[in-house]
Amino acid sequence: MRPFKLAVLASGRGTLLPALVELCAAEPSRFELACLVVNVPDAPVRALATQLTPTCPQLVLPHRDYPDRAAYETAMLAAMAPYRPNLVVLAGFRRLLTSTFLDGIACPTINVHPSLLPAFPGMDAPAQALAAGVPTTGCTVHFVDAGMDTGAPIASRHVAIEPGDTPDSLHRRIAAQEAPLLCEVITRLAAAT
């Protein structure tokens, strides 16, 4: 049986990458990290990937090298095609994807966001939650569409807001829930195929 192949798109530190590598290492016949696509050449996720999973192909495609989103996403699709992913996972990928990519990729694309969507989409979700005075926030794994965190939610985890929370302290507690939730969703999606 062919492993369920993950293509990971990242732009920053790669805080979700260790959990994805661990998921694939725990069940190598079931999951495979097919490729890592990075749009920022000096992103720390590249060094982390080299350390954790040196055999995983790194596709470095700086978005600034392309005249527009459509050209960039067409190049991403071409670079990813040989790896035939079953699922694209956004792991801190700091670019909105358009229909060029989403209609062109032959598999679902998912993202994890630090709020209980549809509440607090976009940047600084923990700060948005604190400013709104809600008692609870959390994280959501959702399908990606061409909007800003508007794709259909798949699963979420709640995180209580504590007295004295700052955006940073709240974000750290939310982040601790993101990787386990993401791996749970990937496992469910793989089982459904």
Side-chain angles (χ1 to χ4, degrees), residues 6-14 16-17 20-21 32-40 43-50 53 55-61 79-80 83 89-93:
L6 308 177
V8 177
L9 278 57
S11 301
R13 294 179 321 211
L16 294 169
L17 187 64
L20 299 174
V21 170
E32 178 184 328
L33 194 55
C35 63
L36 172 67
V37 180
V38 181
N39 67 317
V40 179
V45 68
R46 293 191 61 208
L48 183 63
T50 299
T53 180
T55 61
C56 176
Q58 293 187 29
L59 311 177
V60 181
L61 299 168
M80 293 168 62
Y83 302 99
V89 180
L90 304 189
F93 189 66

PDB file of all heavy atoms in Angstrom, residues 6-14 16-17 20-21 32-40 43-50 53 55-61 79-80 83 89-93:
ATOM      1  N   LEU A   6       2.490  13.623   2.431  1.00  0.00           N
ATOM      2  CA  LEU A   6       2.256  14.992   2.861  1.00  0.00           C
ATOM      3  C   LEU A   6       3.225  15.935   2.163  1.00  0.00           C
ATOM      4  O   LEU A   6       4.431  15.693   2.150  1.00  0.00           O
ATOM      5  CB  LEU A   6       2.459  15.133   4.372  1.00  0.00           C
ATOM      6  CG  LEU A   6       1.720  14.156   5.281  1.00  0.00           C
ATOM      7  CD1 LEU A   6       2.103  14.412   6.727  1.00  0.00           C
ATOM      8  CD2 LEU A   6       0.220  14.273   5.083  1.00  0.00           C
ATOM      9  N   ALA A   7       2.702  17.010   1.604  1.00  0.00           N
ATOM     10  CA  ALA A   7       3.517  18.123   1.124  1.00  0.00           C
ATOM     11  C   ALA A   7       3.320  19.251   2.121  1.00  0.00           C
ATOM     12  O   ALA A   7       2.181  19.658   2.384  1.00  0.00           O
ATOM     13  CB  ALA A   7       3.093  18.561  -0.263  1.00  0.00           C
ATOM     14  N   VAL A   8       4.393  19.734   2.713  1.00  0.00           N
ATOM     15  CA  VAL A   8       4.316  20.760   3.750  1.00  0.00           C
ATOM     16  C   VAL A   8       4.796  22.084   3.162  1.00  0.00           C
ATOM     17  O   VAL A   8       5.867  22.145   2.558  1.00  0.00           O
ATOM     18  CB  VAL A   8       5.164  20.373   4.976  1.00  0.00           C
ATOM     19  CG1 VAL A   8       5.132  21.469   6.028  1.00  0.00           C
ATOM     20  CG2 VAL A   8       4.663  19.054   5.565  1.00  0.00           C
ATOM     21  N   LEU A   9       3.996  23.132   3.350  1.00  0.00           N
ATOM     22  CA  LEU A   9       4.360  24.473   2.915  1.00  0.00           C
ATOM     23  C   LEU A   9       4.651  25.306   4.146  1.00  0.00           C
ATOM     24  O   LEU A   9       3.826  25.349   5.078  1.00  0.00           O
ATOM     25  CB  LEU A   9       3.224  25.122   2.118  1.00  0.00           C
ATOM     26  CG  LEU A   9       3.095  24.765   0.632  1.00  0.00           C
ATOM     27  CD1 LEU A   9       2.954  23.280   0.400  1.00  0.00           C
ATOM     28  CD2 LEU A   9       1.941  25.521   0.001  1.00  0.00           C
ATOM     29  N   ALA A  10       5.820  25.955   4.179  1.00  0.00           N
ATOM     30  CA  ALA A  10       6.226  26.707   5.367  1.00  0.00           C
ATOM     31  C   ALA A  10       6.993  27.960   4.967  1.00  0.00           C
ATOM     32  O   ALA A  10       7.604  28.013   3.898  1.00  0.00           O
ATOM     33  CB  ALA A  10       7.076  25.833   6.281  1.00  0.00           C
ATOM     34  N   SER A  11       6.960  28.947   5.872  1.00  0.00           N
ATOM     35  CA  SER A  11       7.657  30.215   5.636  1.00  0.00           C
ATOM     36  C   SER A  11       8.564  30.636   6.780  1.00  0.00           C
ATOM     37  O   SER A  11       9.368  31.541   6.612  1.00  0.00           O
ATOM     38  CB  SER A  11       6.645  31.355   5.434  1.00  0.00           C
ATOM     39  OG  SER A  11       5.788  31.127   4.371  1.00  0.00           O
ATOM     40  N   GLY A  12       8.401  30.022   7.961  1.00  0.00           N
ATOM     41  CA  GLY A  12       9.081  30.558   9.140  1.00  0.00           C
ATOM     42  C   GLY A  12       9.922  29.557   9.891  1.00  0.00           C
ATOM     43  O   GLY A  12      10.766  28.862   9.330  1.00  0.00           O
ATOM     44  N   ARG A  13       9.652  29.463  11.202  1.00  0.00           N
ATOM     45  CA  ARG A  13      10.486  28.641  12.091  1.00  0.00           C
ATOM     46  C   ARG A  13      10.231  27.155  11.954  1.00  0.00           C
ATOM     47  O   ARG A  13      11.084  26.341  12.250  1.00  0.00           O
ATOM     48  CB  ARG A  13      10.235  29.052  13.547  1.00  0.00           C
ATOM     49  CG  ARG A  13      10.690  30.455  13.867  1.00  0.00           C
ATOM     50  CD  ARG A  13      10.388  30.778  15.297  1.00  0.00           C
ATOM     51  NE  ARG A  13       9.094  30.220  15.652  1.00  0.00           N
ATOM     52  CZ  ARG A  13       8.260  30.736  16.531  1.00  0.00           C
ATOM     53  NH1 ARG A  13       8.575  31.800  17.176  1.00  0.00           N
ATOM     54  NH2 ARG A  13       7.099  30.171  16.785  1.00  0.00           N
ATOM     55  N   GLY A  14       9.033  26.774  11.581  1.00  0.00           N
ATOM     56  CA  GLY A  14       8.741  25.349  11.436  1.00  0.00           C
ATOM     57  C   GLY A  14       8.324  24.681  12.722  1.00  0.00           C
ATOM     58  O   GLY A  14       8.650  23.516  12.949  1.00  0.00           O
ATOM     59  N   LEU A  16       5.604  23.429  13.649  1.00  0.00           N
ATOM     60  CA  LEU A  16       4.757  22.246  13.469  1.00  0.00           C
ATOM     61  C   LEU A  16       5.516  21.074  12.836  1.00  0.00           C
ATOM     62  O   LEU A  16       5.065  19.941  12.894  1.00  0.00           O
ATOM     63  CB  LEU A  16       3.540  22.585  12.610  1.00  0.00           C
ATOM     64  CG  LEU A  16       2.545  23.555  13.229  1.00  0.00           C
ATOM     65  CD1 LEU A  16       1.530  24.011  12.194  1.00  0.00           C
ATOM     66  CD2 LEU A  16       1.847  22.929  14.421  1.00  0.00           C
ATOM     67  N   LEU A  17       6.665  21.355  12.239  1.00  0.00           N
ATOM     68  CA  LEU A  17       7.388  20.317  11.506  1.00  0.00           C
ATOM     69  C   LEU A  17       7.788  19.122  12.372  1.00  0.00           C
ATOM     70  O   LEU A  17       7.638  17.978  11.927  1.00  0.00           O
ATOM     71  CB  LEU A  17       8.612  20.914  10.815  1.00  0.00           C
ATOM     72  CG  LEU A  17       9.360  19.957   9.887  1.00  0.00           C
ATOM     73  CD1 LEU A  17       8.483  19.546   8.703  1.00  0.00           C
ATOM     74  CD2 LEU A  17      10.644  20.601   9.386  1.00  0.00           C
ATOM     75  N   LEU A  20       5.011  16.610  12.552  1.00  0.00           N
ATOM     76  CA  LEU A  20       4.754  15.946  11.277  1.00  0.00           C
ATOM     77  C   LEU A  20       5.830  14.909  10.974  1.00  0.00           C
ATOM     78  O   LEU A  20       5.525  13.808  10.497  1.00  0.00           O
ATOM     79  CB  LEU A  20       4.667  16.981  10.155  1.00  0.00           C
ATOM     80  CG  LEU A  20       3.546  18.012  10.297  1.00  0.00           C
ATOM     81  CD1 LEU A  20       3.652  19.074   9.218  1.00  0.00           C
ATOM     82  CD2 LEU A  20       2.181  17.339  10.282  1.00  0.00           C
ATOM     83  N   VAL A  21       7.080  15.228  11.271  1.00  0.00           N
ATOM     84  CA  VAL A  21       8.167  14.271  11.092  1.00  0.00           C
ATOM     85  C   VAL A  21       7.957  13.064  12.003  1.00  0.00           C
ATOM     86  O   VAL A  21       8.126  11.913  11.582  1.00  0.00           O
ATOM     87  CB  VAL A  21       9.531  14.940  11.357  1.00  0.00           C
ATOM     88  CG1 VAL A  21      10.653  13.904  11.416  1.00  0.00           C
ATOM     89  CG2 VAL A  21       9.829  15.992  10.295  1.00  0.00           C
ATOM     90  N   GLU A  32       4.173   9.553   4.757  1.00  0.00           N
ATOM     91  CA  GLU A  32       5.466   9.962   4.210  1.00  0.00           C
ATOM     92  C   GLU A  32       5.486  11.477   4.048  1.00  0.00           C
ATOM     93  O   GLU A  32       4.524  12.067   3.535  1.00  0.00           O
ATOM     94  CB  GLU A  32       5.696   9.310   2.851  1.00  0.00           C
ATOM     95  CG  GLU A  32       6.994   9.707   2.185  1.00  0.00           C
ATOM     96  CD  GLU A  32       7.134   9.106   0.796  1.00  0.00           C
ATOM     97  OE1 GLU A  32       6.624   7.991   0.564  1.00  0.00           O
ATOM     98  OE2 GLU A  32       7.743   9.770  -0.057  1.00  0.00           O
ATOM     99  N   LEU A  33       6.568  12.094   4.498  1.00  0.00           N
ATOM    100  CA  LEU A  33       6.772  13.511   4.259  1.00  0.00           C
ATOM    101  C   LEU A  33       7.382  13.614   2.862  1.00  0.00           C
ATOM    102  O   LEU A  33       8.567  13.389   2.667  1.00  0.00           O
ATOM    103  CB  LEU A  33       7.690  14.105   5.320  1.00  0.00           C
ATOM    104  CG  LEU A  33       7.750  15.614   5.420  1.00  0.00           C
ATOM    105  CD1 LEU A  33       6.370  16.228   5.618  1.00  0.00           C
ATOM    106  CD2 LEU A  33       8.654  16.020   6.563  1.00  0.00           C
ATOM    107  N   ALA A  34       6.546  13.918   1.872  1.00  0.00           N
ATOM    108  CA  ALA A  34       6.966  13.842   0.472  1.00  0.00           C
ATOM    109  C   ALA A  34       7.868  14.999   0.072  1.00  0.00           C
ATOM    110  O   ALA A  34       8.832  14.802  -0.675  1.00  0.00           O
ATOM    111  CB  ALA A  34       5.736  13.803  -0.432  1.00  0.00           C
ATOM    112  N   CYS A  35       7.550  16.211   0.546  1.00  0.00           N
ATOM    113  CA  CYS A  35       8.376  17.369   0.210  1.00  0.00           C
ATOM    114  C   CYS A  35       8.028  18.530   1.131  1.00  0.00           C
ATOM    115  O   CYS A  35       6.943  18.579   1.713  1.00  0.00           O
ATOM    116  CB  CYS A  35       8.225  17.785  -1.255  1.00  0.00           C
ATOM    117  SG  CYS A  35       6.573  18.329  -1.726  1.00  0.00           S
ATOM    118  N   LEU A  36       8.983  19.429   1.252  1.00  0.00           N
ATOM    119  CA  LEU A  36       8.809  20.670   1.994  1.00  0.00           C
ATOM    120  C   LEU A  36       8.983  21.809   1.001  1.00  0.00           C
ATOM    121  O   LEU A  36      10.002  21.898   0.323  1.00  0.00           O
ATOM    122  CB  LEU A  36       9.854  20.786   3.110  1.00  0.00           C
ATOM    123  CG  LEU A  36       9.917  22.118   3.858  1.00  0.00           C
ATOM    124  CD1 LEU A  36       8.655  22.344   4.687  1.00  0.00           C
ATOM    125  CD2 LEU A  36      11.157  22.184   4.738  1.00  0.00           C
ATOM    126  N   VAL A  37       7.966  22.661   0.899  1.00  0.00           N
ATOM    127  CA  VAL A  37       8.018  23.820   0.011  1.00  0.00           C
ATOM    128  C   VAL A  37       8.206  25.063   0.878  1.00  0.00           C
ATOM    129  O   VAL A  37       7.421  25.299   1.805  1.00  0.00           O
ATOM    130  CB  VAL A  37       6.736  23.944  -0.824  1.00  0.00           C
ATOM    131  CG1 VAL A  37       6.808  25.171  -1.743  1.00  0.00           C
ATOM    132  CG2 VAL A  37       6.494  22.677  -1.631  1.00  0.00           C
ATOM    133  N   VAL A  38       9.251  25.821   0.589  1.00  0.00           N
ATOM    134  CA  VAL A  38       9.580  27.006   1.387  1.00  0.00           C
ATOM    135  C   VAL A  38       9.638  28.212   0.460  1.00  0.00           C
ATOM    136  O   VAL A  38      10.305  28.162  -0.575  1.00  0.00           O
ATOM    137  CB  VAL A  38      10.931  26.814   2.114  1.00  0.00           C
ATOM    138  CG1 VAL A  38      11.273  28.023   2.966  1.00  0.00           C
ATOM    139  CG2 VAL A  38      10.908  25.559   2.969  1.00  0.00           C
ATOM    140  N   ASN A  39       8.947  29.281   0.841  1.00  0.00           N
ATOM    141  CA  ASN A  39       8.929  30.481   0.002  1.00  0.00           C
ATOM    142  C   ASN A  39       9.892  31.572   0.471  1.00  0.00           C
ATOM    143  O   ASN A  39      10.042  32.590  -0.179  1.00  0.00           O
ATOM    144  CB  ASN A  39       7.513  31.048  -0.112  1.00  0.00           C
ATOM    145  CG  ASN A  39       7.005  31.595   1.204  1.00  0.00           C
ATOM    146  OD1 ASN A  39       7.184  30.991   2.248  1.00  0.00           O
ATOM    147  ND2 ASN A  39       6.353  32.748   1.156  1.00  0.00           N
ATOM    148  N   VAL A  40      10.557  31.345   1.609  1.00  0.00           N
ATOM    149  CA  VAL A  40      11.532  32.293   2.149  1.00  0.00           C
ATOM    150  C   VAL A  40      12.861  31.540   2.259  1.00  0.00           C
ATOM    151  O   VAL A  40      13.004  30.659   3.115  1.00  0.00           O
ATOM    152  CB  VAL A  40      11.085  32.828   3.531  1.00  0.00           C
ATOM    153  CG1 VAL A  40      12.111  33.801   4.097  1.00  0.00           C
ATOM    154  CG2 VAL A  40       9.713  33.481   3.435  1.00  0.00           C
ATOM    155  N   ALA A  43      14.473  30.891   5.680  1.00  0.00           N
ATOM    156  CA  ALA A  43      13.565  30.521   6.771  1.00  0.00           C
ATOM    157  C   ALA A  43      14.203  29.451   7.658  1.00  0.00           C
ATOM    158  O   ALA A  43      14.777  28.479   7.152  1.00  0.00           O
ATOM    159  CB  ALA A  43      12.240  30.018   6.221  1.00  0.00           C
ATOM    160  N   PRO A  44      14.114  29.605   8.980  1.00  0.00           N
ATOM    161  CA  PRO A  44      14.690  28.611   9.896  1.00  0.00           C
ATOM    162  C   PRO A  44      14.144  27.198   9.709  1.00  0.00           C
ATOM    163  O   PRO A  44      14.810  26.228  10.064  1.00  0.00           O
ATOM    164  CB  PRO A  44      14.334  29.162  11.279  1.00  0.00           C
ATOM    165  CG  PRO A  44      14.176  30.633  11.078  1.00  0.00           C
ATOM    166  CD  PRO A  44      13.603  30.787   9.696  1.00  0.00           C
ATOM    167  N   VAL A  45      12.959  27.054   9.128  1.00  0.00           N
ATOM    168  CA  VAL A  45      12.394  25.720   8.911  1.00  0.00           C
ATOM    169  C   VAL A  45      13.313  24.870   8.034  1.00  0.00           C
ATOM    170  O   VAL A  45      13.346  23.646   8.177  1.00  0.00           O
ATOM    171  CB  VAL A  45      10.970  25.801   8.302  1.00  0.00           C
ATOM    172  CG1 VAL A  45      11.002  26.331   6.871  1.00  0.00           C
ATOM    173  CG2 VAL A  45      10.266  24.461   8.363  1.00  0.00           C
ATOM    174  N   ARG A  46      14.107  25.494   7.181  1.00  0.00           N
ATOM    175  CA  ARG A  46      14.990  24.717   6.311  1.00  0.00           C
ATOM    176  C   ARG A  46      16.070  23.987   7.110  1.00  0.00           C
ATOM    177  O   ARG A  46      16.322  22.796   6.894  1.00  0.00           O
ATOM    178  CB  ARG A  46      15.631  25.616   5.259  1.00  0.00           C
ATOM    179  CG  ARG A  46      14.599  26.156   4.270  1.00  0.00           C
ATOM    180  CD  ARG A  46      15.247  26.818   3.097  1.00  0.00           C
ATOM    181  NE  ARG A  46      16.072  25.835   2.388  1.00  0.00           N
ATOM    182  CZ  ARG A  46      17.142  26.161   1.678  1.00  0.00           C
ATOM    183  NH1 ARG A  46      17.538  27.414   1.594  1.00  0.00           N
ATOM    184  NH2 ARG A  46      17.819  25.226   1.042  1.00  0.00           N
ATOM    185  N   ALA A  47      16.709  24.680   8.039  1.00  0.00           N
ATOM    186  CA  ALA A  47      17.731  24.042   8.875  1.00  0.00           C
ATOM    187  C   ALA A  47      17.099  22.973   9.759  1.00  0.00           C
ATOM    188  O   ALA A  47      17.683  21.895   9.955  1.00  0.00           O
ATOM    189  CB  ALA A  47      18.454  25.083   9.720  1.00  0.00           C
ATOM    190  N   LEU A  48      15.918  23.263  10.274  1.00  0.00           N
ATOM    191  CA  LEU A  48      15.220  22.282  11.113  1.00  0.00           C
ATOM    192  C   LEU A  48      14.901  21.029  10.308  1.00  0.00           C
ATOM    193  O   LEU A  48      15.102  19.905  10.779  1.00  0.00           O
ATOM    194  CB  LEU A  48      13.948  22.909  11.689  1.00  0.00           C
ATOM    195  CG  LEU A  48      13.138  22.034  12.637  1.00  0.00           C
ATOM    196  CD1 LEU A  48      13.942  21.682  13.886  1.00  0.00           C
ATOM    197  CD2 LEU A  48      11.837  22.758  13.020  1.00  0.00           C
ATOM    198  N   ALA A  49      14.416  21.207   9.088  1.00  0.00           N
ATOM    199  CA  ALA A  49      14.097  20.052   8.241  1.00  0.00           C
ATOM    200  C   ALA A  49      15.347  19.247   7.914  1.00  0.00           C
ATOM    201  O   ALA A  49      15.324  18.015   7.926  1.00  0.00           O
ATOM    202  CB  ALA A  49      13.421  20.523   6.957  1.00  0.00           C
ATOM    203  N   THR A  50      16.455  19.931   7.640  1.00  0.00           N
ATOM    204  CA  THR A  50      17.712  19.235   7.349  1.00  0.00           C
ATOM    205  C   THR A  50      18.138  18.388   8.544  1.00  0.00           C
ATOM    206  O   THR A  50      18.626  17.265   8.381  1.00  0.00           O
ATOM    207  CB  THR A  50      18.810  20.253   6.991  1.00  0.00           C
ATOM    208  OG1 THR A  50      18.396  20.964   5.819  1.00  0.00           O
ATOM    209  CG2 THR A  50      20.139  19.573   6.734  1.00  0.00           C
ATOM    210  N   THR A  53      14.812  15.611   9.167  1.00  0.00           N
ATOM    211  CA  THR A  53      14.448  14.712   8.077  1.00  0.00           C
ATOM    212  C   THR A  53      15.303  15.024   6.843  1.00  0.00           C
ATOM    213  O   THR A  53      14.825  15.591   5.862  1.00  0.00           O
ATOM    214  CB  THR A  53      12.927  14.794   7.783  1.00  0.00           C
ATOM    215  OG1 THR A  53      12.594  13.908   6.727  1.00  0.00           O
ATOM    216  CG2 THR A  53      12.460  16.197   7.491  1.00  0.00           C
ATOM    217  N   THR A  55      16.443  13.480   4.383  1.00  0.00           N
ATOM    218  CA  THR A  55      16.134  12.923   3.063  1.00  0.00           C
ATOM    219  C   THR A  55      14.899  13.560   2.426  1.00  0.00           C
ATOM    220  O   THR A  55      14.614  13.285   1.257  1.00  0.00           O
ATOM    221  CB  THR A  55      15.930  11.400   3.144  1.00  0.00           C
ATOM    222  OG1 THR A  55      14.836  11.126   4.021  1.00  0.00           O
ATOM    223  CG2 THR A  55      17.194  10.707   3.630  1.00  0.00           C
ATOM    224  N   CYS A  56      14.177  14.382   3.158  1.00  0.00           N
ATOM    225  CA  CYS A  56      12.984  15.027   2.604  1.00  0.00           C
ATOM    226  C   CYS A  56      13.409  16.120   1.621  1.00  0.00           C
ATOM    227  O   CYS A  56      14.165  17.026   1.986  1.00  0.00           O
ATOM    228  CB  CYS A  56      12.136  15.627   3.714  1.00  0.00           C
ATOM    229  SG  CYS A  56      10.698  16.532   3.098  1.00  0.00           S
ATOM    230  N   PRO A  57      12.924  16.070   0.388  1.00  0.00           N
ATOM    231  CA  PRO A  57      13.268  17.112  -0.582  1.00  0.00           C
ATOM    232  C   PRO A  57      12.760  18.484  -0.135  1.00  0.00           C
ATOM    233  O   PRO A  57      11.619  18.612   0.306  1.00  0.00           O
ATOM    234  CB  PRO A  57      12.558  16.672  -1.864  1.00  0.00           C
ATOM    235  CG  PRO A  57      12.258  15.227  -1.672  1.00  0.00           C
ATOM    236  CD  PRO A  57      12.086  15.019  -0.207  1.00  0.00           C
ATOM    237  N   GLN A  58      13.625  19.481  -0.231  1.00  0.00           N
ATOM    238  CA  GLN A  58      13.246  20.864   0.057  1.00  0.00           C
ATOM    239  C   GLN A  58      13.141  21.619  -1.266  1.00  0.00           C
ATOM    240  O   GLN A  58      14.118  21.724  -2.000  1.00  0.00           O
ATOM    241  CB  GLN A  58      14.274  21.537   0.961  1.00  0.00           C
ATOM    242  CG  GLN A  58      14.329  20.961   2.359  1.00  0.00           C
ATOM    243  CD  GLN A  58      15.235  21.758   3.275  1.00  0.00           C
ATOM    244  OE1 GLN A  58      15.407  22.959   3.110  1.00  0.00           O
ATOM    245  NE2 GLN A  58      15.809  21.090   4.260  1.00  0.00           N
ATOM    246  N   LEU A  59      11.957  22.129  -1.538  1.00  0.00           N
ATOM    247  CA  LEU A  59      11.710  22.897  -2.749  1.00  0.00           C
ATOM    248  C   LEU A  59      11.680  24.364  -2.352  1.00  0.00           C
ATOM    249  O   LEU A  59      10.713  24.836  -1.759  1.00  0.00           O
ATOM    250  CB  LEU A  59      10.388  22.480  -3.391  1.00  0.00           C
ATOM    251  CG  LEU A  59      10.172  20.972  -3.567  1.00  0.00           C
ATOM    252  CD1 LEU A  59       8.805  20.696  -4.152  1.00  0.00           C
ATOM    253  CD2 LEU A  59      11.271  20.365  -4.421  1.00  0.00           C
ATOM    254  N   VAL A  60      12.752  25.069  -2.638  1.00  0.00           N
ATOM    255  CA  VAL A  60      12.867  26.475  -2.249  1.00  0.00           C
ATOM    256  C   VAL A  60      12.428  27.326  -3.435  1.00  0.00           C
ATOM    257  O   VAL A  60      13.102  27.383  -4.459  1.00  0.00           O
ATOM    258  CB  VAL A  60      14.302  26.821  -1.809  1.00  0.00           C
ATOM    259  CG1 VAL A  60      14.383  28.278  -1.377  1.00  0.00           C
ATOM    260  CG2 VAL A  60      14.741  25.894  -0.680  1.00  0.00           C
ATOM    261  N   LEU A  61      11.266  27.949  -3.271  1.00  0.00           N
ATOM    262  CA  LEU A  61      10.673  28.750  -4.336  1.00  0.00           C
ATOM    263  C   LEU A  61      10.368  30.136  -3.778  1.00  0.00           C
ATOM    264  O   LEU A  61       9.279  30.375  -3.253  1.00  0.00           O
ATOM    265  CB  LEU A  61       9.389  28.089  -4.846  1.00  0.00           C
ATOM    266  CG  LEU A  61       9.537  26.689  -5.445  1.00  0.00           C
ATOM    267  CD1 LEU A  61       8.183  26.041  -5.623  1.00  0.00           C
ATOM    268  CD2 LEU A  61      10.268  26.769  -6.762  1.00  0.00           C
ATOM    269  N   ALA A  79       6.582  22.148  -9.377  1.00  0.00           N
ATOM    270  CA  ALA A  79       7.642  21.597  -8.524  1.00  0.00           C
ATOM    271  C   ALA A  79       7.130  20.449  -7.656  1.00  0.00           C
ATOM    272  O   ALA A  79       7.853  19.479  -7.398  1.00  0.00           O
ATOM    273  CB  ALA A  79       8.229  22.701  -7.645  1.00  0.00           C
ATOM    274  N   MET A  80       5.885  20.550  -7.207  1.00  0.00           N
ATOM    275  CA  MET A  80       5.323  19.530  -6.322  1.00  0.00           C
ATOM    276  C   MET A  80       4.815  18.298  -7.065  1.00  0.00           C
ATOM    277  O   MET A  80       4.708  17.215  -6.471  1.00  0.00           O
ATOM    278  CB  MET A  80       4.171  20.138  -5.499  1.00  0.00           C
ATOM    279  CG  MET A  80       4.622  21.192  -4.513  1.00  0.00           C
ATOM    280  SD  MET A  80       3.222  22.114  -3.818  1.00  0.00           S
ATOM    281  CE  MET A  80       2.327  20.808  -2.971  1.00  0.00           C
ATOM    282  N   TYR A  83       6.045  14.627  -6.698  1.00  0.00           N
ATOM    283  CA  TYR A  83       5.931  14.006  -5.370  1.00  0.00           C
ATOM    284  C   TYR A  83       4.532  13.473  -5.092  1.00  0.00           C
ATOM    285  O   TYR A  83       4.325  12.772  -4.102  1.00  0.00           O
ATOM    286  CB  TYR A  83       6.383  15.006  -4.298  1.00  0.00           C
ATOM    287  CG  TYR A  83       7.805  15.445  -4.544  1.00  0.00           C
ATOM    288  CD1 TYR A  83       8.081  16.651  -5.181  1.00  0.00           C
ATOM    289  CD2 TYR A  83       8.866  14.618  -4.211  1.00  0.00           C
ATOM    290  CE1 TYR A  83       9.386  17.025  -5.453  1.00  0.00           C
ATOM    291  CE2 TYR A  83      10.178  14.989  -4.489  1.00  0.00           C
ATOM    292  CZ  TYR A  83      10.426  16.194  -5.109  1.00  0.00           C
ATOM    293  OH  TYR A  83      11.720  16.560  -5.391  1.00  0.00           O
ATOM    294  N   VAL A  89      -0.211  20.453   3.571  1.00  0.00           N
ATOM    295  CA  VAL A  89      -0.347  20.966   4.935  1.00  0.00           C
ATOM    296  C   VAL A  89       0.368  22.308   5.016  1.00  0.00           C
ATOM    297  O   VAL A  89       1.582  22.387   4.798  1.00  0.00           O
ATOM    298  CB  VAL A  89       0.271  19.984   5.961  1.00  0.00           C
ATOM    299  CG1 VAL A  89       0.127  20.538   7.376  1.00  0.00           C
ATOM    300  CG2 VAL A  89      -0.377  18.609   5.844  1.00  0.00           C
ATOM    301  N   LEU A  90      -0.385  23.360   5.329  1.00  0.00           N
ATOM    302  CA  LEU A  90       0.229  24.660   5.564  1.00  0.00           C
ATOM    303  C   LEU A  90       0.716  24.683   7.005  1.00  0.00           C
ATOM    304  O   LEU A  90      -0.067  24.512   7.932  1.00  0.00           O
ATOM    305  CB  LEU A  90      -0.773  25.799   5.324  1.00  0.00           C
ATOM    306  CG  LEU A  90      -1.448  25.835   3.949  1.00  0.00           C
ATOM    307  CD1 LEU A  90      -2.234  27.127   3.792  1.00  0.00           C
ATOM    308  CD2 LEU A  90      -0.464  25.663   2.817  1.00  0.00           C
ATOM    309  N   ALA A  91       2.007  24.875   7.168  1.00  0.00           N
ATOM    310  CA  ALA A  91       2.621  24.868   8.503  1.00  0.00           C
ATOM    311  C   ALA A  91       3.356  26.197   8.685  1.00  0.00           C
ATOM    312  O   ALA A  91       4.572  26.279   8.560  1.00  0.00           O
ATOM    313  CB  ALA A  91       3.577  23.682   8.638  1.00  0.00           C
ATOM    314  N   GLY A  92       2.573  27.240   8.926  1.00  0.00           N
ATOM    315  CA  GLY A  92       3.173  28.562   9.034  1.00  0.00           C
ATOM    316  C   GLY A  92       3.544  29.123   7.679  1.00  0.00           C
ATOM    317  O   GLY A  92       4.548  29.807   7.533  1.00  0.00           O
ATOM    318  N   PHE A  93       2.740  28.833   6.670  1.00  0.00           N
ATOM    319  CA  PHE A  93       2.963  29.358   5.324  1.00  0.00           C
ATOM    320  C   PHE A  93       2.276  30.714   5.247  1.00  0.00           C
ATOM    321  O   PHE A  93       1.055  30.803   5.344  1.00  0.00           O
ATOM    322  CB  PHE A  93       2.401  28.398   4.275  1.00  0.00           C
ATOM    323  CG  PHE A  93       2.764  28.749   2.858  1.00  0.00           C
ATOM    324  CD1 PHE A  93       4.075  28.694   2.429  1.00  0.00           C
ATOM    325  CD2 PHE A  93       1.785  29.117   1.955  1.00  0.00           C
ATOM    326  CE1 PHE A  93       4.414  29.003   1.114  1.00  0.00           C
ATOM    327  CE2 PHE A  93       2.103  29.422   0.647  1.00  0.00           C
ATOM    328  CZ  PHE A  93       3.421  29.368   0.221  1.00  0.00           C
TER     329      PHE A  93
END
